[in-house]
Amino acid sequence: MIDSREVRWYRNFDQPSPLLKQAPTVIAFVLALATMALVPGLAPLDGTLMVLAAVLLAAATSLAVALTVRGQFQGGLVLLIPLIDFVGLAFFRAATGAGQSMFATLVLIPIAWLATAPGIRQVATVFVLSAAMVFIPYISDPPENSTDLLRGVIVPLIYAAVAAVINELSRQQRARMEQAERLAAERTRALTENEQMLAQLRESETRYRTLLESHESLWAAITAQAVIATDCSGRVSAWNPGAERMLGLTEQEALDGVTIDRFFSPAMLATLAGGQPGAAAADAVASNVQALFERANAGSTLDEELEIKTAAGSRLPARVTVTRRDDGAGNQQGYLLVITDETRQAEVARMKDQFVGMISHELRTPLSAIIGFLDLLRNDPEQPLAEQQVEFVDIIERNAQRLLALVGDLLFTAQVESGRFPITPHHLDIYDSLRLATESARPHAEAEGVELELDVPAEPLFVVADGGRIGQAIDNLISNAIKFTPRGGRVSVSAAPHDGAVVISVSDTGIGIPKAEQADLFNRFFRASTATQNAIPGVGLGLNITHAIAVAHGGGITVVSDEGVGTTFEVRLPLTPTTQAIPVVQGR
């Protein structure tokens, strides 16, 4: 195994070792000595200068070896070697005849070495050394003629010119090498970046394949819903297994030029597009499909419950969602339709309403009979009841009335769900309705130890509304406020016109309602956790009924509540001028 120090002398060609640079000088000097030994008449003229030249060249060579072993290939010590060589060869030139020596040109070897070093100052150094080499001997032996003197001028200039050419060529070579190194570094960096990019692309491809496989698996697993992709004209471009099951067309059949309007009736398309239902011509159907898609283009997601036609001609209730379908660059590719079969939900809703209606009617009849016979029993003059019996009858009647009211609420909510509960609007003083409701609730408030306040002006405020239904809504709100307010609390009732409507406000200082549950307050049978935790009786129908009454009159209801602080319900009803004719609405 070769030690690394043994090969430093040939490290590379763009930065050779000092020993490699010194080799031509040593070889040339050895060949000169051999020539002088072999050729008669070439004996040195001055043996002392000859020995001095050999000593200097040996010293320069030793320095080259030392620097090579140390690994120092640049710097001032390295440039000292050709300077010593130059002086040694100058002595050799003087020992062999000075300007007449056949070995005078050997000094070009260290000159070339010096000239390859960076900087124009090396050329000046060569000129000075060359001039010294020529003119110093003239001190002891002046030139005999002008030719010898001219030679002393021309020779340094020639050597300096040669050094200048070598220096410039070396500079250009170094520039080309630096450029090549920069290009090599840039290419290496580019290759590294390309490798990194390829690695990222491979990783992205792997993720893409994984996502694609997941998408395909998910697409194939959606069988409960029909997911249909179309182009911008409504032609089917993707058809999932759920669409095959629901609509009765295979994927191959659906992709064979089928358009989405095939699964909607023309009247339904016209309604969804914003037109009037009715028969539509073929060109109108295409127009309605585009109008349907325009709603999605406008940024509004279509989400409707409607009937869908299957390939076999049957109809089924469904919920249809239509959204835009864009590519990764945001360019529109078409539309995505998600169709959910609502057959089971519709049947469950129908059976639920039928059950509620049936139970309500079935309970209402015997309860009415019970209340009627209780009245006969209490008022029978032939068999008057004892005081304790009258008390028992009152208890029975009170609970029967309560149960009858609950049955009425159930029947009313069934009518609300079906959209068929009747209202009869008439000219109504809303302040008078609030006074009646407050006075009716006052005994209840006093029994519960709750202060009941009413704040309405004396002058009337008229609306067109069903007095019975509005009274029912106000009664529900006041009753709830009293029920959920602890003893010593307060319930405030007020109303005031605001922005073309009257706002009825019922506030309490009760237990409040959690923020997360307030959105569900108006759902049928919903009860807040604060009500169940405090064992407050109720079935969760009052607010649902109140909300339905407010909406049926063109208004609404809102709630603001904090746990432990209180609750405020506000019912907003539109105002109607007193001169306006009063319509009669029999069902909504």
Side-chain angles (χ1 to χ4, degrees):
M1 182 175 180
I2 301 175
D3 187 78
S4 61
R5 292 175 295 180
E6 298 176 4
V7 296
R8 287 178 179 172
W9 65 273
Y10 68 92
R11 188 171 188 176
N12 50 43
F13 291 105
D14 64 320
Q15 193 180 7
S17 67
L19 184 58
L20 186 61
K21 291 181 179 181
Q22 179 65 6
T25 303
V26 174
I27 293 172
F29 183 69
V30 171
L31 290 176
L33 292 177
T35 301
M36 292 176 63
L38 296 175
V39 179
L42 294 180
L45 300 178
D46 190 333
T48 302
L49 294 177
M50 192 72 177
V51 173
L52 185 58
V55 171
L56 289 174
L57 289 174
T61 304
S62 299
L63 180 59
V65 171
L67 293 177
T68 300
V69 172
R70 288 173 53 186
Q72 183 176 346
F73 290 4
Q74 292 179 346
L77 287 177
V78 174
L79 291 180
L80 184 60
I81 298 172
L83 291 176
I84 298 173
D85 287 342
F86 187 93
V87 175
L89 291 175
F91 286 141
F92 183 65
R93 173 180 175 273
T96 56
Q100 305 299 323
S101 175
M102 64 178 296
F103 304 111
T105 56
L106 290 180
V107 296
L108 287 173
I109 298 175
I111 285 174
W113 184 347
L114 279 172
T116 57
I120 194 66
R121 64 180 180 276
Q122 311 302 338
V123 178
T125 302
V126 169
F127 178 78
V128 171
L129 291 176
S130 301
M133 178 185 67
V134 174
F135 281 101
I136 287 176
Y138 287 170
I139 297 174
S140 59
D141 186 14
E144 298 177 356
N145 51 53
S146 59
T147 302
D148 292 337
L149 183 61
L150 183 61
R151 183 185 298 113
V153 175
I154 292 177
V155 169
L157 291 176
I158 293 175
Y159 286 170
V162 171
V165 172
I166 295 175
N167 186 268
E168 177 61 20
L169 293 176
S170 298
R171 186 192 66 78
Q172 295 179 4
Q173 180 63 22
R174 283 192 298 273
R176 285 193 291 270
M177 289 295 296
E178 291 174 358
Q179 184 179 14
E181 289 175 356
R182 286 196 302 270
L183 292 175
E186 291 175 0
R187 185 176 65 176
T188 302
R189 185 169 58 253
L191 288 174
T192 302
E193 291 176 354
N194 287 339
E195 290 176 356
Q196 293 175 350
M197 187 175 297
L198 286 174
Q200 292 175 356
L201 288 174
R202 293 191 192 99
E203 185 179 354
S204 298
E205 182 182 8
T206 301
R207 288 200 303 266
Y208 170 75
R209 291 183 180 276
T210 302
L211 289 174
L212 182 61
E213 291 172 357
S214 300
H215 171 74
E216 291 175 348
S217 300
L218 179 62
W219 182 264
I222 300 176
T223 57
Q225 290 178 309
V227 183
I228 306 168
T230 72
D231 59 17
C232 293
S233 65
R235 188 183 302 272
V236 174
S237 58
W239 189 263
N240 81 321
E244 291 186 18
R245 182 190 64 81
M246 187 183 301
L247 301 176
L249 285 181
T250 65
E251 182 178 10
Q252 183 177 0
E253 292 171 338
L255 297 179
D256 189 18
V258 174
T259 56
I260 198 63
D261 57 88
R262 173 173 177 176
F263 307 103
F264 299 91
S265 68
M268 184 65 68
L269 280 176
T271 302
L272 291 177
Q276 296 296 325
D283 57 346
V285 171
S287 175
N288 287 333
V289 170
Q290 290 303 320
L292 175 65
F293 289 157
E294 283 302 321
R295 294 176 59 177
N297 290 338
S300 61
T301 300
L302 175 66
D303 190 350
E304 300 282 353
E305 292 184 1
L306 42 82
E307 280 190 345
I308 295 296
K309 295 193 304 181
T310 66
S314 61
R315 298 177 182 272
L316 54 90
R319 176 170 290 277
V320 180
T321 301
V322 183
T323 55
R324 275 174 56 109
R325 184 168 59 92
D326 298 337
D327 60 14
N331 300 316
Q332 184 176 0
Q333 299 297 305
Y335 301 91
L336 188 68
L337 290 86
V338 179
I339 303 175
T340 304
D341 188 352
E342 297 284 335
T343 302
R344 181 175 179 82
Q345 288 80 351
E347 179 63 19
V348 169
R350 186 191 64 80
M351 292 176 64
K352 179 178 64 175
D353 290 339
Q354 183 179 9
F355 174 77
V356 171
M358 179 186 67
I359 292 299
S360 299
H361 284 93
E362 291 297 324
L363 291 176
R364 195 182 189 90
T365 301
L367 283 173
S368 298
I370 290 172
I371 293 172
F373 279 107
L374 286 172
D375 187 59
L376 292 176
L377 184 62
R378 180 189 294 109
N379 298 314
D380 187 358
E382 296 181 359
Q383 296 181 346
L385 299 178
E387 182 178 350
Q388 188 177 24
Q389 291 174 327
V390 171
E391 183 179 349
F392 292 160
V393 169
D394 289 342
I395 293 173
I396 295 171
E397 184 178 14
R398 185 165 59 251
N399 284 277
Q401 290 286 0
R402 183 178 177 184
L403 186 57
L404 185 61
L406 177 60
V407 171
D409 288 345
L410 285 172
L411 182 58
F412 183 82
T413 56
Q415 292 173 335
V416 169
E417 291 290 329
S418 64
R420 295 190 302 271
F421 77 91
I423 63 171
T424 306
H426 57 272
H427 213 191
L428 175 68
D429 178 7
I430 197 66
Y431 291 156
D432 190 49
S433 297
L434 286 173
R435 294 187 191 95
L436 291 175
T438 304
E439 291 305 317
S440 298
R442 196 169 297 281
H444 180 202
E446 292 174 354
E448 297 294 331
V450 174
E451 181 183 357
L452 182 58
E453 299 177 347
L454 174 64
D455 181 16
V456 294
E459 64 273 10
L461 178 64
F462 291 101
V463 297
V464 173
D466 187 321
R469 295 301 186 189
I470 294 299
Q472 182 181 8
I474 298 172
D475 288 341
N476 284 338
L477 293 179
I478 297 176
S479 175
N480 273 357
I482 296 172
K483 184 166 55 174
F484 289 98
T485 301
R487 183 172 294 275
R490 183 178 66 259
V491 174
S492 301
V493 181
S494 63
H498 181 72
D499 290 340
V502 59
V503 178
I504 302 170
S505 175
V506 179
S507 301
D508 63 59
T509 58
I511 59 178
I513 304 164
K515 296 288 186 184
E517 300 177 7
Q518 292 178 17
D520 298 320
L521 280 178
F522 305 110
N523 295 337
R524 185 164 55 169
F525 301 117
F526 176 81
R527 302 200 70 216
S529 59
T530 49
T532 56
Q533 290 168 4
N534 289 276
I536 298 175
V539 293
L541 292 176
L543 290 178
N544 175 262
I545 293 172
T546 302
H547 176 266
I549 293 172
V551 171
H553 285 81
I557 182 171
T558 58
V559 59
V560 176
S561 182
D562 291 314
E563 284 190 81
V565 177
T567 303
T568 298
F569 284 94
E570 288 187 348
V571 176
R572 185 182 182 90
L573 299 175
L575 285 172
T576 302
T578 57
T579 57
Q580 178 175 328
I582 301 174
V584 177
V585 181
Q586 291 298 334
R588 295 190 59 153

